[in-house]
Amino acid sequence: MSKTANVIARIDPSKKEKAEAILKELGIPVSVVIDMLYSQIIIHNGLPFDVKMPRGIDSGNLSKDENDAISLMTLNDLQNGNYITFDNFVDKVCAKYNITREELLDTQK
């Protein structure tokens, strides 16, 4: 058997319970998921997914550390050229949801 190492992390108990219930239903042990994540981090030389603020998140309720992390991610994206122009973003959203620019940008609704 290969050697193993322990990972200790403090997380919200409610998130832990919900995630572990889903993993149990899928038949995947937590340790396998952590190992998979670490493998993907190594393969991608970073996180294997985009880290973005979902729509509707009230950033005013985030901690200083969470806000700092978002700022750092945004800065890294800008420095690495990982961004699109606002017009390009609007066009993509309009195409995805089959709406006009006017419908999307109408903030009076």
Side-chain angles (χ1 to χ4, degrees), residues 17-105:
E17 289 175 21
K18 289 176 185 176
E20 287 180 358
I22 293 168
L23 292 174
K24 183 177 182 179
E25 198 171 314
L26 294 171
I28 304 172
V30 174
S31 59
V32 171
V33 173
I34 293 170
D35 189 65
M36 289 169 39
L37 176 61
Y38 275 42
S39 295
Q40 289 296 310
I41 289 169
I42 293 166
I43 290 168
H44 288 89
N45 196 30
L47 292 175
F49 47 82
D50 290 336
V51 179
K52 299 177 181 177
M53 288 296 294
R55 188 176 194 180
I57 293 290
D58 180 6
S59 61
N61 291 330
L62 299 177
S63 71
K64 180 185 179 323
D65 288 342
E66 291 168 325
N67 274 315
D68 289 349
I70 292 166
S71 296
L72 181 59
M73 287 183 294
T74 303
L75 178 61
N76 287 338
D77 280 345
L78 290 171
Q79 289 173 335
N80 294 322
N82 297 330
Y83 60 88
I84 61 173
T85 65
F86 178 76
D87 284 336
N88 193 345
F89 170 77
V90 169
D91 291 343
K92 286 183 180 206
V93 171
C94 290
K96 180 174 182 173
Y97 295 102
N98 195 29
I99 59 176
T100 66
R101 290 179 70 89
E102 292 75 25
E103 290 171 314
L104 179 66
L105 299 175

